[in-house]
């Protein structure tokens, strides 16, 4: 007959063997959590920090650069009156360069496309540009892929209006000032010439708000002689002409 002590030792031994079997058994299969994705054009490979060091995930997916489209706000803007806006459509994160080739100089712009693949540049009003065509070339670059697109616009000569009138068509002799008013395109330069019998007076003024006012002295007029007043308004390469007259009595 076995003693109770032997039964106790045998049970303890069986328990130890069972624990060893559990600890040394095959590792159960595990599933690693998928990391959050990044922005479209910031794909990265990340090594896992878990018990399986060779596990690699890819964060995000790059949107490839497949094309380039360029659009300008106006194909025939008035010279000096309109600022052109140029929009380029490519891919998110693409680096976009724009070259604007004017008749006498070249403008350069660069920026990164937004998350919709769009970038917009505002072109400054260049001096003395009217008829010659301005050529625009955009180059988008992303991950060693490059796409180019082009367009153009031709600034047009603005129409310059001109209207002139005098303050008194028949001013009296003596110390008199004749007021001549010219209404024209805002910003135009106005040249006024008054042809008297023995001389011609010349006056110049800029119509900042579309109106230029001239004060003509007729201290010693020739009674009955019609004084012809010519006005020429100029803006860029556009011109307007108008005239009036007055006759001292």
């Amino acid at each position: 007959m076995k003693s109770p002590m032997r039964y106790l030792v045998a049970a303890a031994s069986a328990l130890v063997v069972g624990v060893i079997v559990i600890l040394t058994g095959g590792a159960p299969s595990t599933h690693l959590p998928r990391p959050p994705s990044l922005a479209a054009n910031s794909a990265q490979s990340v090594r896992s920090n878990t018990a399986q060091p060779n596990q690699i995930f890819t964060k995000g997916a790059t949107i490839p650069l497949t094309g380039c489209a360029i659009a300008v706000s106006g194909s025939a803007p008035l010279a000096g009156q309109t600022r052109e806006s140029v929009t380029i459509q490519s891919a998110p994160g693409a680096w976009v360069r724009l070259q604007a080739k004017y008749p006498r100089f070249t403008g350069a712009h660069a920026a990164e496309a937004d998350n919709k693949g769009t970038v917009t540049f505002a072109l400054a009003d260049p001096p003395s540009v009217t008829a010659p065509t301005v050529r625009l070339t955009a180059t988008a670059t992303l991950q060693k892929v490059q796409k180019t697109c082009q367009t153009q616009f031709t600034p047009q000569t603005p129409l310059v209006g001109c209207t002139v009138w005098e303050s008194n068509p028949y001013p009296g002799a003596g110390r008199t000032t004749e007021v001549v008013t010219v209404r024209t395109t805002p910003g135009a330069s106005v040249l006024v010439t008054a042809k008297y019998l023995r001389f011609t007076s010349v006056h110049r003024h800029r119509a900042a708000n579309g109106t230029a006012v001239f004060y003509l002295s007729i201290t010693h007029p020739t009674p009955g002689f019609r004084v012809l007043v010519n006005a020429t308004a100029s803006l860029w390469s556009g011109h307007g002409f108008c005239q009036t007259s007055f006759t001292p009595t």
Side-chain angles (χ1 to χ4, degrees):
M1 180 176 179
K2 296 182 180 179
S3 65
M5 181 59 68
R6 288 185 177 181
Y7 281 112
L8 181 60
V9 171
S13 299
L15 178 61
V16 171
V17 171
V19 171
I20 293 175
V21 170
I22 292 175
L23 294 178
T24 58
S29 60
T30 59
H31 298 281
L32 300 178
R34 182 180 179 86
S37 60
L38 300 179
N41 280 338
S42 58
Q44 299 179 8
S45 295
V46 180
R47 188 173 297 278
S48 171
N49 293 324
T50 62
Q52 298 184 17
N54 293 327
Q55 183 71 36
I56 297 177
F57 294 108
T58 300
K59 292 184 176 182
T62 300
I63 297 178
L65 177 60
T66 58
C68 175
I70 183 172
V72 65
S73 56
S75 60
L78 293 179
Q81 302 295 313
T82 304
R83 284 198 169 189
E84 288 293 87
S85 178
V86 182
T87 301
I88 296 96
Q89 183 69 43
S90 56
W95 185 250
V96 180
R97 294 180 181 274
L98 175 66
Q99 183 184 75
K101 193 170 184 180
Y102 296 90
R104 293 179 180 149
F105 69 95
T106 299
H109 309 266
E112 184 179 2
D114 60 17
N115 57 3
K116 295 182 180 180
T118 303
V119 60
T120 300
F121 300 103
L123 305 184
D125 295 330
S128 303
V129 175
T130 51
T133 297
V134 180
R135 303 188 184 281
L136 304 173
T137 302
T139 303
T141 305
L142 180 64
Q143 295 185 348
K144 298 182 180 181
V145 177
Q146 197 171 81
K147 298 292 181 180
T148 301
C149 46
Q150 295 179 323
T151 189
Q152 63 186 31
F153 65 90
T154 304
Q156 301 297 310
T157 300
L159 297 176
V160 181
C162 184
T163 304
V164 62
W165 65 91
E166 76 293 327
S167 58
N168 187 354
Y170 300 100
R175 294 184 177 274
T176 305
T177 299
E178 185 75 7
V179 181
V180 174
T181 304
V182 179
R183 181 66 57 82
T184 183
T185 306
S189 176
V190 181
L191 176 67
V192 165
T193 60
K195 296 184 178 180
Y196 298 88
L197 178 62
R198 296 181 177 86
F199 67 95
T200 298
S201 64
V202 180
H203 311 266
R204 188 184 298 273
H205 190 61
R206 183 169 294 278
N209 297 319
T211 301
V213 180
F214 301 87
Y215 300 89
L216 309 184
S217 176
I218 50 174
T219 304
H220 303 288
T222 303
F225 180 81
R226 179 171 174 260
V227 179
L228 185 62
V229 179
N230 295 324
T232 302
S234 304
L235 181 63
W236 300 94
S237 59
H239 302 282
F241 178 79
C242 50
Q243 65 179 192
T244 187
S245 64
F246 59 91
T247 304
T249 58

